[in-house]
Amino acid sequence: MIVALIVMAVLVLVGAAVLVRRRRRAVPMLAPVAREAMPEVLVAEVAQRPVLVDETQFLESRLGSSRSIFDRVRTISSIGSLSQDQLDTVEEVLLRSDVGVATTAAILDDLRENGAPDGVAAAVRDALLASLGADRSVTTTAEPGRVPVWLFVGVNGVGKTTTIGKLAQRHVSEGRSVVLAAGDTFRAAASEQLQQWADRTGADIVRAAEGADPGSVVHDALGRAAARGADIVLADTAGRRANSTNLLDELSKIRRVADRDPGQVVETFMVLDATTGQNALSQAREFLAAASVTGIVLTKLDGTARGGIVVAIERELAIPVKFVGVGEGVGDLIVFDPKAFVDSLLDA
Amino acid sequence: MFDALSERFERLGSSLRSRGRLSDADLDEALQEVRSALLEADVELGVVRAFLDAVRERLSGEALNQSLSPGQQVIKAVHEQLVEVLGGSPLKVTYASRPPTVVLLAGLQGAGKTTAAAKLALWFKQQGRQPYLIAADLQRPAAVEQLRVLAGQIGVDVFSEPSDPVDVARKGLAEATRLGRDVVIIDTAGRLSIDEALMREVRDISDATSPHYTFLVIDAVTGQDAVFTARSFHETLELSGIIVTKLDYDARGGAVLSARGVVGRPVVFASTGEKLADFDLFHPDRMASRILGMGDVMTLIEQAERTMDASVVAESAGRMMSGTFTLDDFMAQLNQVRKMGSLGGLMKLMPGVTKEMRNAASNVDDGELNKIEAIIRSMTPRERGEPSVIDGSRRTRIARGSGTTVNAVNQLLKQFAEMRKMMKQMSGGGMPNLPGGMGRMAGLAARASAQRSEQLPPGFEALGAGMSAGGPVARGGGGKNKKKKGGRVTPPKQR
Ligand SMILES: Nc1nc2c(ncn2[C@@H]2O[C@H](COP(=O)(O)OP(=O)(O)O)[C@@H](O)[C@H]2O)c(=O)[nH]1
Ligand SMILES: [Mg+2]
């Protein structure tokens, strides 16, 4: 009954505020000041992100590139320590990539300490790569007799359903039979959306009416998968804000259902939109606690956002990024490559 | 987050306090803290810089205000500048003289356009209009279906067909005109600002329908990219305003400032929840407090004033202060508070609430509140006025009568007793010993409310407290921060 306490606290607050306000009513009001003119554009030209790497290539094409990264390093400084100017440039690059104030400061500290024997870009790259050293392997098999489940969680609109479509394609093309669980029973037409991905990829799907219990959808999908000897279940969930214990509890419940025989959750992916800023860190913290997240799928890296917040997430919470979304097509998913990612962070 | 900025100022406090007026060095140091706070709130770096310059100018231009401590002066300048940049007051939507008024929504994938379209339709409906929706997102699987379902819930018609988005928009508009609908809302597919083909497409939609309002829909959790996206869309579409979504997340929402800063158009609507009714005009002053992480006491108080029965509140609040609060008063207040909305929502408006409290509050559902009511209702009038008479057998009776457990009754009574004690403390001038910093908040709420017509914006005194020169701050005649009236932006283009 923490409830009572909360209610009382609210009462105290509201009561106090209203009471004081009433007493103040007597104060004569001054004539309203005329509204100032609308402010103009605050920043006419947003400064271009400064470049630490001198090539502007697409993340995807860079993945295929066999050239050594160090060939492409523009050496801003020679051997030795970094100037304040250089540190400022690095700070700007990192902040503009959403790496965040704290992580950026930590990386700058590393730089100050270690200097830049091979140039600033190389030093920053090393510092970033050192934060991205986690194991990124994915598990596709469960204990004998159980069906492996990949569960997808995240806030609204990040690309959970789309990612499932893309991964279904991947599994199918690797010869696995897939069952999709349309566990988003909340958003209008969400299961219809997943259905279309099932049709597109040839995956099997279990869905239920809007408002149905997501746990039972997952349960049914497991039953279906076990009966048909399917190789893997990909379970969608409704987008939920990460600051609601209710919604997170519901998620924990879904995960428990998915992890019950014959199912076994072998991966829980938090899907994260690359445009997300510092809130991503609290999303990761909450979803990790509620659903034991094992990896991140970073979507929309085909856009202009850098997704630098994953550096902070890996440093602080050790959740590895495993896949990257680079478009809306069924093939627009790649395995996360830290080097290519770091290059794209440092690149304009 | 609130604590982040206030703590920072507190750390600075001692040096600022000792001097009593702001030197350049003090200002640099204080602005450095503001910079970090803004960056942590996801305000874009270039916008942060321009912003800090503006604050610096504001402070150096202004004669030092004798009645404010240096810290308060900085905070006041920061808040005022935030409010100014965010747009002095909400946009007043006007309608085309020759209907329908056309509204075009655009934005990145997953920003929440489709939901916003339905919410906007509901909002117009509540304004007495007859909206019509056009589903021109033919890209994302089931997007049209999603809009149809949502529109069905609010009784609004949707036009779409599986052809081409520009055709859909054009035909939909013709259909709306034929049906005599006075507002048309066009939902479009999510697109990246660097996707030339899709940007051209949305431009074509715009050319084909000549919208009176073009809104960029932007997610409150967006990071540094907000400026890039906003500017690209503005260049392509000439935005008339911004709709910010997912403000119910715990993000500070600096993206709003970024987007506003680069396009110079107001944020018009804010979407604050999953329900279609969770949508309203945007309030810059409230957003300013939020970006600085200071809760939103004004909204809370306004909500209270709007929904609560003033005499009931005043009466029981009076007894609250005198320490003669009864369970009857409690129930009366509870009913008033319930009218204001969910406890979770209310907690979100309060500054300085811990996350635990917030989460706990957001989990309180009607069932639990009903249980509390049931327990109190099962008491005799005497028991309610004088809870100390409730002994063991009475507790058993009350539990049975209310369909709860003795344990629940015990807890309620215990907490009520504690609450009474706290109230006494508070009315005696001391801060009550509420858990989770609530005592501080109560004081804060009261003070913020008191300050309304004075120099400092709501919630600011606590921030400035760490920097204040000690002792009560004399406040001069105010009125400066009074709500600014008016504020209509971009009259509809004639079609
Ligand atoms: N450009 C781009 N768009 C994406 C990507 N992943 C998802 N999307 C789009 O983002 C929007 C939201 O995706 P959806 O899967 O419905 O998100 P959910 O709510 O998390 O299930 C859709 O318009 C998708 O097409 C990506 O990697 N790149
Ligand atoms: Mg989905």
Side-chain angles (χ1 to χ4, degrees), chain A residues 314-339:
Chain A
E314 287 211 8
R315 275 177 80 108
E316 282 189 31
L317 303 171
I319 310 175
V321 183
K322 295 190 175 175
F323 295 102
V324 169
V326 290
E328 297 183 80
V330 73
D332 295 331
L333 185 90
I334 52 183
V335 171
F336 180 76
D337 172 354
K339 287 180 182 156

Side-chain angles (χ1 to χ4, degrees), chain A:
Chain A
M1 261 235 199
I2 176 87
V3 185
L5 199 64
I6 292 167
V7 174
M8 293 179 199
V10 171
L11 290 180
V12 172
L13 280 164
V14 173
V18 169
L19 196 74
V20 176
R21 185 81 186 282
R22 310 199 115 239
R23 288 198 189 136
R24 288 278 164 169
R25 271 287 164 71
V27 177
M29 304 228 176
L30 299 182
V33 181
R35 209 180 95 78
E36 290 150 44
M38 277 271 297
E40 291 301 304
V41 172
L42 181 66
V43 223
E45 280 309 312
V46 174
Q48 287 301 309
R49 216 187 314 250
V51 195
L52 291 185
V53 178
D54 62 343
E55 269 184 72
T56 43
Q57 273 183 21
F58 212 67
L59 176 71
E60 216 176 351
S61 57
R62 211 182 291 117
L63 282 173
S65 160
S66 57
R67 274 194 295 160
S68 148
I69 332 158
F70 292 101
D71 291 348
R72 297 191 274 118
V73 170
R74 174 194 286 170
T75 309
I76 305 180
S77 94
S78 48
I79 297 164
S81 62
L82 291 91
S83 71
Q84 190 56 45
D85 260 10
Q86 290 169 335
L87 288 171
D88 286 349
T89 308
V90 174
E91 183 190 34
E92 178 158 357
V93 170
L94 296 180
L95 288 177
R96 282 186 192 278
S97 302
D98 291 313
V99 171
V101 176
T103 305
T104 298
I107 289 174
L108 290 180
D109 283 347
D110 288 354
L111 284 178
R112 271 190 209 99
E113 201 166 299
N114 303 332
D118 299 312
V120 176
V124 178
R125 179 180 287 118
D126 288 349
L128 287 169
L129 284 175
S131 325
L132 297 173
D135 173 20
R136 289 170 212 288
S137 57
V138 290
T139 308
T140 50
T141 53
E143 292 163 8
R146 292 175 81 177
V147 185
V149 179
W150 285 11
L151 182 68
F152 295 80
V153 306
V155 302
N156 307 78
V158 287
K160 292 177 294 300
T161 307
T162 310
T163 299
I164 290 174
K166 296 170 181 177
L167 280 169
Q169 178 69 42
R170 207 180 175 88
H171 285 301
V172 167
S173 67
E174 286 169 6
R176 278 184 281 275
S177 56
V178 179
V179 175
L180 305 181
D184 181 356
T185 54
F186 182 81
R187 210 207 65 198
S191 68
E192 180 59 35
Q193 185 186 354
L194 193 65
Q195 176 76 55
Q196 294 194 24
W197 283 107
D199 297 346
R200 216 177 274 186
T201 58
D204 199 355
I205 182 172
V206 172
R207 47 187 287 198
E210 208 176 299
D213 171 37
S216 58
V217 177
V218 171
H219 179 262
D220 290 353
L222 285 170
R224 169 97 58 106
R228 301 201 176 170
D231 295 313
I232 194 163
V233 170
L234 305 182
D236 198 6
T237 62
R240 63 197 72 227
R241 59 193 170 89
N243 55 336
S244 156
T245 344
N246 269 355
L247 293 176
L248 293 174
D249 284 350
E250 184 195 89
L251 191 62
S252 307
K253 217 184 298 167
I254 298 174
R255 196 188 178 284
R256 279 200 297 278
V257 171
D259 207 28
R260 209 177 288 149
D261 203 21
Q264 184 190 348
V265 177
V266 294
E267 295 284 353
T268 302
F269 289 109
M270 180 177 105
V271 182
L272 178 67
D273 184 328
T275 58
T276 313
Q278 302 308 303
N279 186 244
L281 204 51
S282 56
Q283 289 175 21
R285 208 171 279 130
E286 301 299 338
F287 283 116
L288 178 64
S292 315
V293 171
T294 58
I296 285 176
V297 181
L298 186 61
T299 60
K300 310 185 195 176
L301 262 193
D302 49 327
T304 43
R306 299 298 154 121
I309 191 64
V310 298
V311 178
I313 294 177
E314 287 211 8
R315 275 177 80 108
E316 282 189 31
L317 303 171
I319 310 175
V321 183
K322 295 190 175 175
F323 295 102
V324 169
V326 290
E328 297 183 80
V330 73
D332 295 331
L333 185 90
I334 52 183
V335 171
F336 180 76
D337 172 354
K339 287 180 182 156
F341 175 75
V342 166
D343 273 357
S344 79
L345 277 190
L346 303 183
D347 204 342

Side-chain angles (χ1 to χ4, degrees), chain A residues 275-279 283, chain B residues 41-42 111 217-223 226 243-256 271 287 290:
Chain A
T275 58
T276 313
Q278 302 308 303
N279 186 244
Q283 289 175 21
Chain B
D42 287 322
V217 179
I218 191 165
D219 189 322
V221 304
T222 311
I243 294 178
V244 55
T245 61
K246 305 181 197 170
L247 266 184
D248 52 328
Y249 286 22
D250 56 358
R252 302 257 298 275
V256 177
S271 181
M287 192 67 207
R290 178 177 179 136

